[in-house]
Each structure stands twice: as C-alpha cells, then as structure tokens.
Amino acid sequence: MARITASVFTSHVPAIGAALDLGKTHEPYWQKVFAGYEYGKQWIKEQKPDVIFLVYNDHATAFSLDLIPTFAIGTAAEYEVADEGFGPRPVPKVVGHPDLAAHIAQSVIQQDFDLTIVNKMAVDHGLTVPLSLMFGEQDPVQGAWPCPVIPFAVNVVQYPVPSGRRCFELGKAIRRAVESYDQDLNVQIWGTGGMSHQLQGPRAGLINREWDNAWLDKLINDPEACAAVPHIDYVREAGSEGIELVMWLIARGAMADVAGGPKPVLKHRFYHVPASNTAVGHAILENPL
C-alpha cells in the first residue's frame, strides 16, 4: 500500500520566490532564510518521495471571489505556473498524479468531507515557492520537478475559513485514503503558509516570534491541543494572514501518531524573521519505519 512517510511544513512567502528567481539568495538579507533550507534540500534527496500531497492556498489565481471552494483537490495530469501579475515564475510546470488524486478524492468524500475536484488550474507561489525551497532551482524549459505533486488548495483568504479542528480531522482522512491505495508509494504531505504576518491595516507588518514558536511547539508535541486553537487567537496573535497556519494542521493530522502510531521524529526545525515583513517557519517530521 501507499504510505505517508513524512510531513514538511514551510512558509510560502512570494518574495522568497522572487529572491530565488532574481539570483538574490546570497545577499545578506536573504542568506539566513535560505540557509535554513539547506538541510531539507539534502534530506529530500535521500528520501526520494514518489508523490507530494501539497496543501497551500490560492492567492486569487485559480479562484476568485466568484468561486471560493473551502477544500479543492487537483486531479489533473499537469498544472501550468500562474502569471501573478509579473509573469510566471521561471520554474517547470507541475506534473500531477491523477490516479492517486482521484483515489484520495473518492475516499475523503466518502468519509464525509466535501471536496471540490479541479481538473484544470494554474498554481501560484503558494505551491511553487515550497517546491523551490526544498528542491532548489530547476530549469523552467528542460527541467522537471523530481516527483509528481497533488495540489490541495484551502480557502484561508475569504471568511468563513475552515477551523483548525476541521483541517486536523481532514488530515486523518487523507492518511486513511493514502493507505488504502494499492500501489507501493512513498508519499509526503506538506503544509504551507504562515507564520505570523499581516499585510494590511493598522497592524500591517505584525510579527509575533514568541507566539509562532509556542504554536510550533504545540503542533509538534501536542497536535490535538494545537487543533483546538480558535480563529480569534490566530488573528489576534499572528495577524490576519496568520490563519494560514491551519493548513499545517492538515499535514500534521496525517501523521501516524495521531492514529495511535509512534511519535514522529523531528528531523529539522527553523524559524527566521523577517522575510518581506513575514515570519518564516519550517519543520520536517518523519514517521518511523
């Protein structure tokens, strides 16, 4: 059967993608940010995932206020890189895994989660920046990402947004779906977005280092308690865009310990501020063999 071997958590700041694309990674402002991902780049080469199930939020690219799915799973064979107003990022298109994606959709919907099935969409920095951070630079024409990716878009832009508890329970359903797939696949699940940041209003530029790290402690060591954190806490403590952290709970809910298995192994943890007025968080958890 397929199995989820690890979860990866990372911010998906658009300015990080711009720094990569414009060759600014060695500038003093960016050096510490990218140094925090050197471990992950080597780790993922050794792990060799067959598929990545990548949880992110669309930034008014594939979806708009005309259509706001709470949870949307990509089932296409490939996804073009979106033009977010300054041309598509110079990275390869994203190749999907339609068979596994369709299986997960079938299983999760039968577990009473209503998913929107998307057969065509462009993917923006929410998905491509994490891939770049973990896999490094790729030739946009001749190159390809090392493995297929299943995009899973969550609405954390327009209220009402899903609760942390709902996301955590969805992660459990995704794990069950993956484990019922009848091919031997090494699947990783990634939760992206956050950490604390606010992009507008009187509190624009808010970053809460103490709250971020306490929340990450809870995500790793007490995910049930983390899932119980209410929306108002995210908004008050982590800023209006801090609510993106509920997407990390989908990935955490898919880990084995949540279903009575062994605790995951923390392979790496990194935190840095600022990166374009945003806190950058990153962690890697492995399910023991």
Side-chain angles (χ1 to χ4, degrees):
M1 67 180 184
R3 59 194 178 93
I4 292 176
T5 57
S7 53
V8 174
F9 308 88
T10 180
S11 303
H12 59 213
V13 185
I16 290 177
L20 283 162
D21 302 340
L22 298 174
K24 296 185 176 183
T25 58
H26 298 294
E27 293 184 359
Y29 182 86
W30 291 109
Q31 282 179 343
K32 290 183 179 180
V33 174
F34 292 105
Y37 288 85
E38 286 303 313
Y39 175 90
K41 288 164 70 173
Q42 183 58 44
W43 172 85
I44 205 163
K45 287 179 183 177
E46 298 167 357
Q47 294 298 307
K48 296 181 174 63
D50 296 311
V51 186
I52 292 168
F53 188 95
L54 201 154
V55 184
Y56 73 110
N57 66 287
D58 177 76
H59 301 79
T61 300
F63 308 111
S64 70
L65 294 182
D66 294 335
L67 178 66
I68 310 172
T70 301
F71 301 116
I73 185 169
T75 54
E78 61 184 41
Y79 306 88
E80 296 297 328
V81 177
D83 181 347
E84 299 181 63
F86 41 82
R89 287 193 63 218
V91 295
K93 66 183 178 184
V94 175
V95 173
H97 197 299
D99 287 346
L100 178 57
H103 172 84
I104 292 172
Q106 164 76 15
S107 175
V108 169
I109 290 171
Q110 289 296 310
Q111 293 178 67
D112 299 329
F113 284 89
D114 298 325
L115 305 185
T116 299
I117 296 170
V118 185
N119 293 314
K120 181 180 180 180
M121 67 175 173
V123 291
D124 65 19
H125 72 268
L127 185 138
T128 64
V129 166
L131 292 176
S132 293
L133 283 169
M134 293 297 292
F135 289 122
E137 295 183 56
Q138 307 289 325
D139 186 293
V141 178
Q142 301 298 327
W145 298 112
C147 69
V149 176
I150 298 174
F152 192 84
V154 180
N155 170 43
V156 288
V157 174
Q158 178 67 38
Y159 278 84
V161 302
S163 68
R165 171 63 59 188
R166 184 69 168 166
C167 290
F168 189 57
E169 294 299 323
L170 175 57
K172 297 178 184 180
I174 291 168
R175 178 191 55 77
R176 291 189 289 264
V178 169
E179 291 180 352
S180 66
Y181 190 66
D182 62 359
Q183 291 186 28
D184 183 15
L185 293 177
N186 171 3
V187 180
Q188 290 183 2
I189 183 165
W190 294 13
T192 75
M195 296 187 85
S196 63
H197 62 301
Q198 179 149 330
L199 303 181
Q200 69 287 308
R203 297 198 306 163
L206 179 148
I207 291 176
N208 190 338
R209 180 192 295 266
E210 183 178 356
W211 193 88
D212 282 341
N213 280 289
W215 187 91
L216 191 50
D217 288 342
K218 195 176 295 184
L219 178 78
I220 294 167
N221 300 309
D222 192 358
E224 290 282 350
C226 196
V229 174
H231 281 165
I232 190 62
D233 285 12
Y234 289 99
V235 176
R236 182 181 56 242
E237 303 293 340
S240 55
E241 278 69 46
I243 193 63
E244 292 180 359
L245 285 169
V246 297
M247 296 188 290
W248 295 30
L249 282 159
I250 296 178
R252 187 63 181 90
M255 296 300 283
D257 64 319
V258 173
K263 285 183 65 66
V265 178
L266 176 63
K267 302 298 292 185
H268 183 58
R269 176 171 171 172
F270 170 70
Y271 182 83
H272 176 78
V273 294
S276 183
N277 290 324
T278 301
V280 174
H282 173 42
I284 298 172
L285 296 177
E286 275 185 18
N287 274 328
L289 295 176

